Amino acid sequence: MNIYLHNTKTRKKELLEPVEPGRVGMYVCGPTVYDRAHIGNARPVIVFDVLFRLLRHVYGAENVRYVRNFTDVDDKIIARAEESGREIGQITEETSRWYLEDMAAVGALEPTDMPRATDWIGAMVAMIEGLVEAGHAYAAEGHVLFRVRSYEAYGALSGRSVDDMIAGARVEVAPYKEDPMDFVLWKPAKAGEPGWESPWGKGRPGWHIECSAMADALLGASFDIHGGGNDLMFPHHENEIAQSKCAHPEGEFARIWMHNEMLQVEGKKMSKSLGNFFTVRDLLDQGVPGEVIRFVFLGTHYRKPMDWTEKKRQEAEATLRDWRGLVAGAEETGPDTAVAEALADDLNTAGAITRLHAMAKEIAANPQKDCFYEKGTFLASARLMGILTEELAGWNAAPGVDLSAYAERLGALREAAMENKDFSAVDTLKAALIEAGVEVKMSRLGVDLIVKPEFDASKLEGLL
């Protein structure tokens, strides 16, 4: 199956043709770990998790290498340590764990590699040394800066010229800079700040060099896909390209650049001042299942702005309840071709979901049909998108509610009714379960009972 992805660099959809035939390398910018991930942080995670799943489906899990970094040294982290009185290592260890737990809760697989910036300082220093030797960077007052004008293609990704950038933005003009657009590769460490020895004195890396060094070390000078939110396009990704291409002029760096759009809440930009800012953990603690969060995100194409609304949450929860009931007892087969093709067309998740709705409607409309295979296909198709997985199961059942005895009783009554042709007892128990807020699904494969939001356990008393 061919995969086509929109390349930010060329402004067009392109066929994915791996640098190394049969193997794919992907780098996605990860979090700066100083606090909980807000809901907007989850969008690139879910977007590129779907791509990771698709790549594994097409190329085989062993042939896909997905790298997503942790920035664990940064001004925000240092500030958090100072205000809290805690050690930086304690903060980054805790928040990294939070991040992985929250992203797992929305169904994200862990990447192949999750490098921490502090483990790759040596590689960063080596890359900076090479840039200085080649004339692309210079040392000044304990800093090392990249000469932006030494890379002629600077601005191609974001579609801006250097002069336009200077004219249209407030740029920090430090006295040690040769040019206002030059950016920091290495900075001196202040008293009490973390630092590492280097040819330019004790200091720490700038933000942009981290990703270039780790991508080069783990994926090589040329690899297939680089992703992240479109807020990173400039300056972060623009700077990554410049320093990586100058450090390894023989390489392509990333062939395809992918950027997801931002997230809004009820039609407004998310902000603490508007009271619509919340973390993934906030939603989970409020009882919103991670699978529901994921499904809402998948309903909008990754290159379009996404609006989180309460209505979408409710609709997603209702749909997933129905779908989980539909596939109860089914065994996963292979995914539907139309679903896989939608995903292979620049991650058209909305199109894939439309196809899943059509499949679910057909299966539900033919309860007497032998549709076990169709259910297996439906299940595999959903799981290709990271929904209806075993890892995300359980939220649709009320805590502490065991309906197995009712399912067994209804199954026994149904079996007896098939012999004596009297279904009155079956209908009576089924109606009582429905009245109690239990969805009843019966097929030749058995009886499935699904707890609905309006479930009332008191109405089950005396039914057995």
Side-chain angles (χ1 to χ4, degrees), residues 366-380:
N366 296 279
Q368 305 305 321
K369 180 183 175 183
D370 183 4
C371 59
F372 183 76
Y373 176 78
E374 288 87 343
K375 285 186 178 182
T377 302
F378 179 84
L379 180 60

Side-chain angles (χ1 to χ4, degrees), residues 304-359:
K304 294 182 178 180
M306 199 209 99
D307 192 15
W308 173 273
T309 68
E310 176 60 19
K311 180 181 178 182
K312 287 181 179 179
R313 184 203 66 76
Q314 293 175 357
E315 291 173 346
E317 185 167 330
T319 296
L320 288 170
R321 284 187 186 278
D322 287 343
W323 288 2
R324 280 202 170 271
L326 195 67
V327 299
E331 294 184 7
E332 183 178 351
T333 56
D336 176 66
T337 300
V339 170
E341 287 179 346
L343 297 179
D345 182 14
D346 195 32
L347 295 186
N348 184 5
T349 53
I353 287 175
T354 297
R355 172 59 180 163
L356 287 176
H357 276 295
M359 293 174 69

Side-chain angles (χ1 to χ4, degrees), residues 419-434:
E419 294 290 331
N420 59 33
K421 306 303 180 184
D422 181 3
F423 285 85
S424 58
V426 174
D427 293 338
T428 298
L429 180 54
K430 181 179 177 181
L433 287 166
I434 293 172

